[in-house]
Amino acid sequence: MKTIIEPFKIKSVEPIRFTSKEERKKILIDAGYNPFLIHADDVLIDLLTDSGTSAMSAKQWAGIMEGDESYAGSKSFYRFESAVKNITGHQYIIPTHQGRAAEKILFSITGGEGKYIPNNTHFDTTRANIEFTGAEAVDLLNETGKHPEQKADFKGDMDIDALVKFIDETGVKNIPMVMLTITNNSGGGQPVSMKNIKEVRQICDKYGIPMFLDACRFAENAYFIKKREPGYSDKSIIEICREMFSYSDGATMSAKKDALVNIGGFLSLNNEELATKCRNLLIVTEGFPTYGGLAGRDLEAVAQGLEEVVDEHYLQYRIRSTEYLGEKLVANGVPIIEPPGGHAIYIDAKRFLSHIPPHQYPGQSIVCELYIDGGVRTVEIGSVMFGKYDKKTGELIPPPMELVRLAIPRRVYTQSHIDYVSEVVIEAFKNREKLKGMEITYEAPMLRHFTARFRPID
Ligand SMILES: *Cc1c(COP(=O)(O)O)cnc(C)c1O
């Protein structure tokens, strides 16, 4: 087979500023060893996130000019609404400024003290928005999904037996919804099978609980289903997307992912009463229902992005570029979550730095090394992001995995950028015995990874 090429030509470029290793060491010290606090200008290749970092197409930029900025009833809203309905089939479409705003609105109404919301794995903002209402966010990931070294096609699947047990023990009235995150971002960008989506739906039907999708990477999930799940290879991506959404009662979406834009999101619903409540809250916190938290031009760009993201050539290139990086790392012995997920490669920091225990944040140590050595910015997804403290002893309770995420922005970097990244990671792996653990010198009470400061342990 021939090389899978980028399905686009480059029309506009953004220069990268080069820095020396010595400069980067100083920059990192000033940032408290937290790359979230570095100026983006000081980064060579930015793999911090795939969120809001997409390159927009010429048609999306044209849409920016076409945007109708009418306060109410903007033509851009109707184009946006029809693009979202075309994919989700949901009836009530509520624009928000990003995914977490949709979560905030949804959980403010459905959450609260004594409520529980299961998911395969909650993303950090989803968890934070649920917990902020006093409700509990519960992860029910299947066993294989918890083991980075075990290969399987659908490591994002929910553990169905655990879900049934959980509902029986917790009581239906305390569970306002069951969520499924497609693909499972915090669990390695791993896809959820149609079979699993259907099974979760059947359980929800049996108990009368609504089912929601955290749909940020719905198109990438659909592509994995097409490639890996029996019975789907001849279906089009849009058909697969429609089937996935058909099992849900609603969805939260960050358009900064699979709508290929820099800002935006939505909440889509089928329940009219819930939609009315959500719209009322939207007016207080985001804006009038035909623009939510967005400008008319943003709605145009989202609508166009949703059309482009279901293109099979795009998805083939997208999933292949992530897999390509994964293959290079694996060939050089670097431990990663296998098989690679859709939007990112996740380094298994526990195996990469087996001499550094979780309470010394091995993932953060790798993140710092990749920045110093190669100017590559990545993010820790482990004890820094999800660690909790034991209320009695004050000791760190680490999450099951210590990961470093190399998120690939959509349509931004070329194959040589990715080759360079692999060289930096492989170099760090060769030098792994020299890397040191980290300690936290400052942390905020919630979502601490964004602002925490660290220092290396001698
Ligand atoms: C990004 C993301 C969100 C939150 O969306 P924002 O646009 O960043 O607010 C929620 N869930 C998942 C799975 C995500 O990846």
Side-chain angles (χ1 to χ4, degrees), residues 51 98-101 103 123 125-126 181 183 185 214 216-217 254 256-257 264:
S51 178
Q98 55 185 92
R100 70 196 67 185
E103 292 167 354
F123 181 64
T125 62
T126 320
T181 304
T183 59
N185 186 355
D214 179 339
C216 301
R217 297 179 185 78
S254 170
K256 299 170 74 170
K257 322 294 172 43

Side-chain angles (χ1 to χ4, degrees), residues 49-52 96-103 119 121-127 129 179-186 214-217 252-257 262-266 343 405 410 450:
T49 177
D50 65 320
S51 178
T96 58
H97 80 276
Q98 55 185 92
R100 70 196 67 185
E103 292 167 354
N119 202 329
T121 313
H122 286 280
F123 181 64
D124 57 356
T125 62
T126 320
R127 172 174 292 278
N129 271 305
M179 282 192 103
L180 268 180
T181 304
I182 57 170
T183 59
N184 189 24
N185 186 355
S186 305
D214 179 339
C216 301
R217 297 179 185 78
T252 55
M253 170 78 186
S254 170
K256 299 170 74 170
K257 322 294 172 43
N262 308 118
I263 195 75
F266 59 79
H343 68 291
R405 186 180 72 182
R410 295 170 179 78
F450 288 124

Side-chain angles (χ1 to χ4, degrees), residues 202-223:
Q202 280 161 3
I203 309 265
C204 285
D205 277 343
K206 183 174 157 211
Y207 290 93
I209 301 173
M211 204 275 250
F212 274 69
L213 294 176
D214 179 339
C216 301
R217 297 179 185 78
F218 71 93
E220 292 173 9
N221 201 83
Y223 186 77

